[in-house]
Amino acid sequence: MLANYSWLDAQPDEGVVYQDGEPWRSWASVDDFLGVSFDRLYQNQADDNHPPLYYTFFAFAYSLFPGATTPVIGVLLNGVFALAGSVLLYFLCRSLGARWPLAVAVCGVWAVNAGMANCTVYLRMYCLLSVFLTTAALLSVRHLRAERSGAALCALTFLATVGGFLTQYFFVLFAFPLYLLAGVALLARRRVACAAKFALSTVGGIVAGMLAFPPSVGHLLSSGRGQQALERAATGNSFGSFLAEDWRLLNDGVFGGLLPLALAILAALLAVVLARRLQA
């Protein structure tokens, strides 16, 4: 699965699906120290519907322990990504004007909530996706706050976009409104040159991601999931039902039914902060 063979079309041996032992271990582990077969990994993801960046990190982590199949390694890798995302979230909160106690509190809630715990133990790419999305948000704020969009800032925005795209295609769905709002804000402030650089960094990052992993074009446009997503995006079909389901999952699964109360408290705190700023 990780490096040694192509696994998507694998057939059971004489009707037996191996759950453990050498046949299964040979498919589900890396044989040699740092022996990641990048061409095989690339082909696996080309046959699948997901880009390869997370699985590259995943395979590299397991290659440090040849033959290992324990999920602990993957959980620890996701833990590193979750920690990095929490640090980035702190700097995002600070960039938005929050004082350090509030920024730390937000990061604490982010780090220990049920959703983050689920992302960490679920050996998929969502912790890494959170890293790139938080980075994209932080850099968008930096573009808005900076007097000009320098080469370093544009390069970081480009790399974050490439990384997000090569982690999970959902990055495009989440980053598009973020980037669009940031670009409109730059234009509203008559910072046309900065808006142009920002657009070049973000759109260029998506294009570079497609060039780095050409199967992504087919995944997005012709795969079953890609066509379904495009059809729903074009028609708006099921948007309301999905939104209601997302609310239910957040309220019941993450906040224990207290999401309306949490939002009410947050709205009250924001109202107090705004009132004090208007009086100052």
Side-chain angles (χ1 to χ4, degrees), residues 49 215-228 230:
N49 281 319
S216 62
V217 179
H219 292 168
L220 292 169
L221 299 179
S222 61
S223 69
R225 290 183 179 180
Q227 289 180 337
Q228 184 183 56
L230 290 174

Side-chain angles (χ1 to χ4, degrees), residues 95 211 213:
S95 295
L211 293 175
F213 188 58

Side-chain angles (χ1 to χ4, degrees), residues 92 95-96 132-146 149 153 156-157 160-161 171 175-183 185-186 189 191 198 202:
L92 174 60
S95 295
L96 291 172
F132 285 116
L133 284 170
T134 308
T135 302
L138 175 60
L139 293 173
S140 296
V141 173
R142 293 288 175 88
H143 277 279
L144 292 171
R145 293 289 180 86
S149 297
L153 183 57
L156 288 173
T157 305
T161 305
F171 176 86
F176 176 76
L178 170 68
Y179 286 160
L180 180 63
L181 289 174
L186 288 171
R189 298 178 182 182
R191 297 174 57 190
F198 181 71
T202 54

